[in-house]
Amino acid sequence: MPASEPVPRARGWRLATLLFLFGATLIVPSILANGLLLQRQAGLQQRDIERRVEQVAADLIDGIERELALMEAMATVMAASPDLAAGRLEQFHVWATQLLQRLGLNVLYRDLDGQQLLNTRVSFGTALPREILPEIDAAVRATLKPYVSDMLVGAVRRNFVITVTAPVVVDGALRGFLHFSIDPERMLGLMKAQKLPPEWNTILADRKGVVIARLQQHEKFVGMPLPASLRGNVDGAVVRSVNLEGVEMLRGSRISPVSGWTVAVGVPVSMVRAQFVANLWSIAGAGIFLGLLTLVLAVMVARVIAGPIRQIAGFATALINGDMTPPLSSPVREANEVAAAFRLASERLNARTRELRETLARFNAALHGADIVVFVQGPDRRITWISESAGYRARNFVGKREEDLVDGLEERAKAIALREKVFATGQPQEGELTTGVGEAARNFRQRLQAIRDSSGDIVGVLGVSVEVTALRREQSRNTMLVRELAHRSKNLLAVVQAIAGETLRSAGADDFMDRFGARLQSLALLQDLVVSGARGGVELGQLVRTQLAPFAEPGKRLEIAGPEVRLRPEAANMLGMALHELATNATKYGCLSVPEGAVLIAWRLQPDTDGAQRFRLTWRESGGPPVAKPAQGGFGSRVVIDMTAATLGGRVSLDYLPDGVVWQVDAPATIVMD
Amino acid sequence: MDSRKILIVEDEPLIAWSLADMIRALGYEVSATVATEGAAVAGAQGCDAVLMDYRLAGGGSGLEAARKIRERADMPIVFCTAYADEPGLADEMRAVPHAALIAKPVSRAKLQEALSRVFAAH
């Protein structure tokens, strides 16, 4: 990851979300519990209302019972009035009017035929109608006890009334019927006296289901028969029903034992629900409030926590760049502790990185000096990493395979096979790879070993390549040198064979070993010189000193003069052999055979008339005994004259002068010199 | 005394003269002793066989000299070389028709056998 690249976004839950969920896990159960409690409370409230409905109905029915009982008592008392028994109806009218006026009641008296005889609603003497009330009359006749009627329409005023009828019995015989006429509003008054909440409603219906009184909209519904759905109430039961106005009500009813009337008390279901809904809204509001509060707190706390976490995430950049991570002072102690741990880790990481870099630098330096290349190849044999070197650029190799890097088909196949064998067997493999041909050919010794992942699968190859081109060339050169040495040895044996033959021919059997041994020794010294000076030629002065060392000491009897000249090996061999033969001859017959004799060996380079350089060497003996040219040339003279002239391509002369032998060589410098 | 003349092509004088002594001892005549490729090609004219070294003076090649000589005449050739055990070179020299190959150092008997073989083939 480049140092400037921000920390990538990662998958997962936001801290604020997690905190909110944490808060929600605390709040939601509480809200659910409150909801359950609310539901339970709503049930309790409903049962409480039902009990109140029952109670109100019971209270109302009690009040009505008491009122009707009072009416029955009063009717019974008035029916026993002496005025009635004596037929003093007018006195009775006056008395009854005075008595009942304050109570808001009226009374009428009918004979057994239904003819009204008096009615306190009208003045006495007013013509009264005959009224047939068969149900009432039959009941009273049958029981001779007071009877409470259902709703009636009054015969005089034609309004709704209810009556409490008592039998008028005189001397044990039924004489007529005394009716207390009660306005339905009297029952309404009992209802209003209960002072119920405005939503509450009560209704009083007679045995036939006709409305006697209704707390709400009495005038509208009085005298109206109740629909079948509102009849048939079970005494004391509380049920749900729809009232006359179409409102769903919680309805409780009681039936009066005295009159058979039904009292119903109703509470709108909506009112029952209202509290539940209100409480529900309260809880929901509280839940929403707590949720919002949790959200706000979650965001605030998340900011407090996320800030340091993001700062710590940013430490990765410092780690990548090899910088120290900064200390952190945040409100979150754990974050500060993590930052402190990061700081410690960065310290150690930096130290290890430095060590690693130093090690890598030493490693690369070692590789630079050792012509060693380390590389890694992936499972597709593409190079994924290669050590740096001064001889190449790593980027020219990364991503490439043998198909891209090895030219020769055979070598390429060999390199691929070596790697495939590592992948197939997992065993280290070694092999040699050659790139290029001829002088451009380069040899690499490669060792490959498998790279395995944590599960042991081979995921690549680690290779070490050592260039062995110089080694191979040296080996090849050594092989050639050995062969050349063998050839030269055979040639040398042929030379020795020739020397032996010539020595045997020119010397006697007694002298053979001395002469042959001396010549071999001279040949050996020459070989040493030729071999030691193989690259730059043999220095002539050194050749002369070496060859003549067994015969004379330089500076006393041996004078050497000439510039530095480096001889070709063939010329050096030839001149060396010639000098040995001359020195041997001088020792036996010439100047070196006496103490006062001396030899001068001088050479120079001179231009010829055509400008070409000539090599001229002179061997001049002096101080020795007189010498004479031998009658027959032997091996020595053949070497000194013929072989030297042939080998150097020049002129050679050997003169036996009075002062001593003079040997002169004149040859092209290009043949003689290296 | 055999009158057939043999050209010695050898860059080492001692060996050349030793070979010349052997040839004369075998009864043949030595037409010349040369050391270079050019001298070998020129000297081959008028002789009956060539005793040829592989390495010649001046960087010359006995094989090349033999090829040039054979371009002019079907001359019997005996390669006499220290490279007789060099697989590639020995094969090349053996591949030359009617030629023999002997290794240095040379014995008189081997030289006689080789010369007899190449003369017999012609």
Side-chain angles (χ1 to χ4, degrees):
Chain A
M1 183 174 63
S4 58
E5 190 172 328
V7 177
R9 296 181 72 87
R11 297 183 64 182
W13 295 80
R14 284 183 169 276
L15 186 59
T17 306
L18 291 172
L19 288 172
F20 176 74
L21 289 174
F22 173 69
T25 56
L26 298 178
I27 293 170
V28 169
S30 171
I31 291 173
L32 289 175
N34 281 329
L36 290 173
L37 287 174
L38 177 63
Q39 191 178 24
R40 185 179 178 82
Q41 188 183 10
L44 292 173
Q45 280 182 339
Q46 182 171 337
R47 280 192 289 280
D48 183 50
I49 289 173
E50 287 174 357
R51 279 193 295 272
R52 286 184 64 193
V53 166
E54 290 170 1
Q55 188 60 50
V56 167
D59 290 347
L60 185 56
I61 205 71
D62 284 349
I64 291 170
E65 290 282 321
R66 280 196 302 273
E67 186 73 11
L68 291 176
L70 178 62
M71 293 298 142
E72 284 181 344
M74 287 178 68
T76 302
V77 169
M78 292 183 77
S81 168
D83 288 337
L84 279 182
R88 294 187 296 272
L89 297 179
E90 188 173 359
Q91 286 85 343
F92 181 82
H93 186 280
V94 172
W95 174 70
T97 302
Q98 289 176 345
L99 179 65
L100 297 177
Q101 197 168 20
R102 287 174 301 188
L103 299 175
L105 297 172
N106 288 291
V107 67
L108 71 86
Y109 178 53
R110 291 170 53 242
D111 61 15
L112 296 177
D113 294 329
Q115 177 63 50
Q116 291 189 13
L117 300 177
L118 67 88
N119 190 336
T120 59
R121 291 185 185 277
V122 295
S123 301
F124 186 78
T126 304
L128 295 173
R130 183 171 178 260
E131 189 175 11
I132 304 300
L133 300 171
E135 182 182 332
I136 298 172
D137 294 352
V140 173
R141 283 177 192 272
T143 62
L144 293 179
K145 290 183 179 178
Y147 177 75
V148 178
S149 73
D150 289 329
M151 280 286 278
L152 301 172
V153 177
V156 177
R157 293 177 59 189
R158 307 304 300 171
N159 60 336
F160 289 112
V161 293
I162 50 177
T163 65
V164 175
T165 304
V168 178
V169 179
V170 179
D171 296 332
L174 181 64
R175 292 285 185 86
F177 306 99
L178 186 68
H179 302 275
F180 262 38
S181 176
I182 306 169
D183 286 336
E185 283 73 13
R186 191 174 187 86
M187 296 298 121
L188 182 61
L190 293 175
M191 293 176 178
K192 289 179 178 176
Q194 288 185 298
K195 298 188 183 307
L196 296 175
E199 298 84 2
W200 286 54
N201 193 19
T202 54
I203 189 167
L204 177 62
D206 63 12
R207 299 178 190 88
K208 297 183 181 66
V210 176
V211 175
I212 298 171
R214 193 172 187 271
L215 186 59
Q216 294 175 1
Q217 294 186 294
H218 170 77
E219 287 77 13
K220 181 179 179 181
F221 294 105
V222 66
M224 183 180 292
L226 290 174
S229 60
L230 294 177
R231 296 184 191 177
N233 297 314
V234 178
D235 189 23
V238 177
V239 296
R240 290 195 177 200
S241 64
V242 178
N243 69 4
L244 296 172
E245 293 159 301
V247 179
E248 189 181 13
M249 304 292 280
L250 196 62
R251 188 166 179 266
S253 50
R254 295 295 294 267
I255 299 172
S256 169
V258 174
S259 61
W261 294 350
T262 299
V263 166
V265 177
V267 180
V269 172
S270 61
M271 196 186 90
V272 177
R273 285 178 180 162
Q275 187 61 42
F276 173 74
V277 171
N279 290 338
L280 191 62
W281 274 114
S282 297
I283 292 174
I288 291 169
F289 173 73
L290 288 174
L292 289 173
L293 185 63
T294 303
L295 183 60
V296 171
L297 288 174
V299 170
M300 291 174 64
V301 174
R303 283 183 178 171
V304 171
I305 297 174
I309 289 176
R310 288 202 175 95
Q311 279 184 278
I312 291 170
F315 289 176
T317 303
L319 287 176
I320 292 167
N321 291 338
D323 299 331
M324 289 284 294
T325 58
L328 184 67
S329 176
S330 75
V332 184
R333 190 169 71 180
E334 287 79 359
N336 298 339
E337 289 172 354
V338 172
F342 258 92
R343 190 169 175 78
L344 182 63
S346 67
E347 276 181 18
R348 296 188 178 171
L349 187 62
N350 286 343
R352 289 182 185 175
T353 303
R354 279 195 301 275
E355 288 176 14
L356 189 60
R357 281 179 182 155
E358 290 169 5
T359 303
L360 189 60
R362 289 194 293 271
F363 173 71
N364 280 332
L367 294 188
H368 273 257
D371 285 336
I372 297 175
V373 178
V374 182
F375 56 90
V376 174
Q377 291 177 273
D380 58 353
R381 291 190 286 99
R382 293 191 185 282
I383 294 175
T384 57
W385 177 84
I386 186 168
S387 58
E388 292 288 347
S389 173
Y392 59 85
R393 290 183 180 279
R395 67 167 179 264
N396 292 337
F397 289 85
V398 171
K400 293 183 177 177
R401 302 190 295 179
E402 287 70 31
E403 289 86 336
D404 310 311
L405 299 171
V406 183
D407 293 331
L409 290 177
E410 189 178 341
E411 289 298 314
R412 181 188 301 168
K414 194 167 73 175
I416 292 172
L418 197 66
R419 282 148 180 81
E420 296 297 346
K421 196 169 182 183
V422 174
F423 280 110
T425 66
Q427 298 299 314
Q429 302 294 329
E430 285 190 27
E432 193 161 320
L433 177 67
T434 301
T435 62
V437 293
E439 289 297 316
R442 297 176 69 183
N443 304 90
F444 299 92
R445 184 75 187 164
Q446 294 193 335
R447 177 179 168 81
L448 307 174
Q449 65 183 61
I451 301 173
R452 298 175 185 274
D453 61 12
S454 57
S455 59
D457 294 333
I458 298 174
V459 294
V461 169
L462 172 65
V464 178
S465 179
V466 182
E467 180 162 9
V468 293
T469 304
L471 178 64
R472 292 288 174 266
R473 287 179 180 172
E474 190 66 22
Q475 286 176 339
S476 176
R477 200 169 72 86
N478 286 342
T479 302
M480 287 178 60
L481 284 175
V482 168
R483 286 180 182 168
E484 185 60 24
L485 184 62
H487 302 152
R488 284 176 184 266
S489 298
K490 290 172 184 174
N491 258 332
L492 194 59
L493 285 175
V495 171
V496 170
Q497 182 187 29
I499 290 173
E502 294 295 337
T503 303
L504 184 62
R505 200 169 11 257
S506 61
D510 298 338
D511 204 22
F512 173 78
M513 285 308 297
D514 293 339
R515 299 292 299 271
F516 184 63
R519 283 168 175 158
L520 284 186
Q521 191 174 13
S522 168
L523 192 62
L525 291 171
L526 281 172
Q527 290 303 310
D528 286 343
L529 284 174
V530 170
V531 170
S532 64
R535 295 274 169 98
V538 179
E539 208 279 312
L540 177 56
Q542 187 182 7
L543 174 72
V544 173
R545 283 188 291 274
T546 302
Q547 285 296 301
L548 300 185
F551 305 100
E553 191 175 349
K556 293 183 177 176
R557 305 178 65 188
L558 184 63
E559 186 179 356
I560 302 172
E564 180 176 326
V565 171
R566 303 202 74 82
L567 303 173
R568 286 175 175 273
E570 298 83 2
N573 267 329
M574 194 65 252
L575 288 173
M577 287 174 64
L579 288 172
H580 172 81
E581 293 300 324
L582 287 169
T584 301
N585 200 51
T587 301
K588 290 179 71 173
Y589 310 110
C591 63
L592 297 182
S593 63
V594 294
E596 59 274 17
V599 177
L600 168 66
I601 303 169
W603 63 88
R604 62 186 184 278
L605 295 173
Q606 285 184 317
D608 201 355
T609 51
D610 57 0
Q613 283 283 83
R614 301 291 296 183
F615 169 79
R616 293 195 171 99
L617 182 143
T618 300
W619 165 286
R620 185 181 297 279
E621 298 180 10
S622 61
V627 294
K629 185 178 180 180
Q632 185 176 359
F635 175 69
S637 63
R638 292 176 70 178
V639 168
V640 168
I641 300 171
D642 301 332
M643 288 171 56
T644 302
T647 301
L648 302 184
R651 297 185 297 272
V652 177
S653 62
L654 180 64
D655 298 314
Y656 293 86
L657 300 180
D659 292 338
V661 173
V662 176
W663 178 64
Q664 289 181 306
V665 177
D666 181 1
T670 53
I671 295 177
V672 177
M673 295 171 61
D674 196 29
Chain B
M1 184 75 180
D2 195 326
S3 60
R4 284 180 288 194
K5 292 177 282 189
I6 297 173
L7 174 67
I8 298 173
V9 185
E10 170 63 57
D11 63 337
E12 178 59 57
L14 265 176
I15 298 174
W17 285 348
S18 175
L19 290 173
D21 287 345
M22 283 189 197
I23 287 171
R24 287 190 195 99
L26 290 173
Y28 299 105
E29 188 178 334
V30 176
S31 68
T33 300
V34 297
T36 63
E37 188 178 307
V41 175
Q45 290 179 327
C47 70
D48 299 305
V50 178
L51 186 61
M52 181 78 79
D53 190 8
Y54 172 72
R55 269 180 89 174
L56 302 179
S61 163
L63 263 175
E64 184 61 20
R67 188 186 63 77
K68 289 176 179 172
I69 290 169
R70 282 291 175 85
E71 284 177 358
R72 298 182 179 184
D74 187 15
M75 180 74 66
I77 295 175
V78 175
F79 290 104
C80 174
T81 176
Y83 294 87
D85 58 350
E86 185 77 24
L89 289 176
D91 291 343
E92 280 190 72
M93 287 185 276
R94 287 194 186 96
V96 177
H98 312 307
L101 174 64
I102 55 175
K104 288 180 180 176
V106 181
S107 69
R108 192 180 295 180
K110 289 279 185 187
L111 182 58
Q112 172 67 70
E113 180 193 349
L115 286 170
S116 299
R117 196 163 66 243
V118 295
F119 280 132
H122 281 76

Coordinates of all heavy atoms in Angstrom, one line a residue, chain A residues 110-114 130 133-145 147 165-167 174-177:
Chain A
R110 N -110.2 4.5 39.3 CA -111.1 3.9 38.2 C -112.0 2.8 38.9 O -111.5 2.1 39.9 CB -110.3 3.2 37.1 CG -109.5 4.1 36.3 CD -108.6 3.3 35.4 NE -109.1 2.3 34.6 CZ -108.8 1.0 34.7 NH1 -107.9 0.6 35.6 NH2 -109.4 0.1 34.0
D111 N -113.2 2.7 38.4 CA -114.0 1.6 39.0 C -113.7 0.3 38.2 O -112.8 0.3 37.4 CB -115.5 2.0 38.9 CG -116.0 2.2 37.4 OD1 -115.2 1.8 36.5 OD2 -117.0 2.8 37.2
L112 N -114.3 -0.6 38.6 CA -114.0 -2.0 38.0 C -114.3 -2.0 36.5 O -113.8 -2.9 35.8 CB -114.8 -3.0 38.7 CG -114.5 -3.2 40.2 CD1 -115.4 -4.3 40.8 CD2 -113.1 -3.6 40.4
D113 N -115.1 -1.0 36.0 CA -115.4 -1.0 34.5 C -114.4 -0.2 33.8 O -114.5 0.0 32.6 CB -116.8 -0.5 34.3 CG -117.9 -1.4 34.9 OD1 -117.6 -2.6 34.9 OD2 -118.9 -0.9 35.2
G114 N -113.5 0.4 34.5 CA -112.5 1.2 33.8 C -112.8 2.7 33.8 O -112.1 3.5 33.3
R130 N -113.3 6.7 30.1 CA -113.3 5.3 30.6 C -112.0 4.7 30.0 O -111.8 4.9 28.8 CB -114.5 4.5 30.1 CG -114.5 3.1 30.6 CD -115.9 2.5 30.3 NE -116.0 1.1 30.7 CZ -115.9 0.1 29.8 NH1 -115.7 0.3 28.6 NH2 -116.0 -1.2 30.3
L133 N -107.6 -1.0 30.9 CA -106.2 -1.4 31.2 C -106.2 -2.9 31.6 O -106.1 -3.3 32.7 CB -105.6 -0.6 32.3 CG -105.6 0.9 32.0 CD1 -105.1 1.7 33.3 CD2 -104.6 1.2 30.9
P134 N -106.5 -3.7 30.6 CA -106.7 -5.1 30.9 C -105.6 -5.8 31.6 O -105.7 -6.6 32.6 CB -107.0 -5.8 29.6 CG -106.4 -4.8 28.6 CD -106.5 -3.5 29.1
E135 N -104.3 -5.5 31.2 CA -103.2 -6.2 31.8 C -103.1 -5.8 33.2 O -102.8 -6.7 34.1 CB -101.9 -5.8 31.0 CG -100.7 -6.4 31.5 CD -99.4 -6.0 30.7 OE1 -99.6 -5.5 29.6 OE2 -98.3 -6.0 31.3
I136 N -103.2 -4.5 33.5 CA -103.1 -4.0 34.9 C -104.2 -4.6 35.8 O -104.0 -5.1 36.8 CB -103.1 -2.5 35.0 CG1 -101.8 -2.0 34.2 CG2 -103.0 -2.0 36.4 CD1 -101.8 -0.4 34.0
D137 N -105.4 -4.4 35.2 CA -106.6 -4.8 36.0 C -106.5 -6.3 36.3 O -106.8 -6.7 37.4 CB -107.8 -4.4 35.2 CG -108.0 -2.9 35.0 OD1 -107.2 -2.2 35.6 OD2 -108.8 -2.5 34.2
A138 N -106.1 -7.0 35.3 CA -106.1 -8.5 35.5 C -105.1 -8.9 36.6 O -105.4 -9.7 37.4 CB -105.8 -9.2 34.2
A139 N -104.0 -8.2 36.5 CA -103.0 -8.5 37.5 C -103.4 -8.2 38.9 O -103.2 -8.9 39.9 CB -101.7 -7.8 37.2
V140 N -104.0 -6.9 39.0 CA -104.5 -6.5 40.4 C -105.6 -7.4 40.8 O -105.7 -7.8 42.0 CB -104.9 -5.0 40.3 CG1 -105.5 -4.6 41.7 CG2 -103.7 -4.2 40.0
R141 N -106.6 -7.7 39.9 CA -107.7 -8.5 40.3 C -107.2 -9.9 40.8 O -107.6 -10.5 41.8 CB -108.6 -8.8 39.1 CG -109.5 -7.7 38.7 CD -110.3 -8.1 37.4 NE -110.9 -7.0 36.9 CZ -112.2 -6.6 37.2 NH1 -112.9 -7.3 38.1 NH2 -112.8 -5.5 36.6
A142 N -106.1 -10.4 40.1 CA -105.6 -11.7 40.5 C -104.9 -11.7 41.8 O -105.0 -12.7 42.6 CB -104.7 -12.2 39.4
T143 N -104.2 -10.7 42.1 CA -103.4 -10.7 43.3 C -103.9 -9.9 44.4 O -103.4 -10.0 45.6 CB -101.9 -10.2 42.9 OG1 -102.0 -8.8 42.5 CG2 -101.3 -11.1 41.8
L144 N -104.7 -8.8 44.1 CA -105.1 -7.8 45.0 C -103.9 -7.1 45.7 O -103.9 -6.8 46.9 CB -106.1 -8.4 46.1 CG -107.4 -8.9 45.6 CD1 -108.2 -9.6 46.7 CD2 -108.2 -7.8 45.0
K145 N -102.9 -7.0 45.0 CA -101.7 -6.4 45.4 C -101.3 -5.3 44.4 O -101.7 -5.3 43.3 CB -100.5 -7.4 45.5 CG -100.7 -8.3 46.7 CD -99.5 -9.3 46.8 CE -99.7 -10.2 48.0 NZ -98.6 -11.2 48.1
Y147 N -99.4 -3.1 41.7 CA -98.8 -3.6 40.4 C -98.2 -2.4 39.7 O -98.8 -1.4 39.6 CB -99.9 -4.3 39.5 CG -99.4 -4.7 38.2 CD1 -98.6 -5.9 38.1 CD2 -99.7 -4.0 37.0 CE1 -98.2 -6.3 36.9 CE2 -99.3 -4.4 35.8 CZ -98.5 -5.6 35.7 OH -98.0 -6.0 34.5
T165 N -100.4 0.7 40.5 CA -101.8 0.5 40.8 C -102.0 -0.4 42.0 O -101.4 -1.4 42.2 CB -102.5 -0.3 39.6 OG1 -102.2 0.5 38.4 CG2 -104.0 -0.5 39.8
A166 N -102.9 0.2 42.9 CA -103.2 -0.5 44.1 C -104.7 -0.8 44.1 O -105.5 0.0 43.6 CB -102.9 0.3 45.3
P167 N -105.1 -2.0 44.5 CA -106.6 -2.3 44.6 C -107.3 -1.5 45.7 O -106.7 -1.3 46.8 CB -106.6 -3.8 44.8 CG -105.3 -4.1 45.6 CD -104.3 -3.1 45.1
L174 N -113.4 -6.0 46.0 CA -112.6 -5.1 45.1 C -113.6 -4.1 44.5 O -114.6 -4.4 43.9 CB -111.9 -5.8 44.0 CG -111.1 -5.0 43.0 CD1 -109.9 -4.3 43.7 CD2 -110.6 -5.9 41.8
R175 N -113.3 -2.7 44.8 CA -114.2 -1.7 44.3 C -113.6 -1.0 43.1 O -114.4 -0.4 42.3 CB -114.5 -0.7 45.5 CG -115.3 -1.3 46.6 CD -116.8 -1.5 46.3 NE -117.6 -1.9 47.4 CZ -118.1 -1.2 48.3 NH1 -117.9 0.2 48.3 NH2 -118.8 -1.7 49.3
G176 N -112.4 -1.0 43.0 CA -111.8 -0.2 41.9 C -110.3 -0.2 42.0 O -109.7 -1.0 42.7
F177 N -109.7 0.6 41.1 CA -108.2 0.6 41.0 C -107.7 2.0 41.2 O -108.2 3.0 40.6 CB -107.8 0.2 39.6 CG -108.4 -1.2 39.2 CD1 -109.6 -1.2 38.4 CD2 -107.9 -2.4 39.7 CE1 -110.2 -2.5 38.1 CE2 -108.5 -3.6 39.3 CZ -109.6 -3.7 38.5

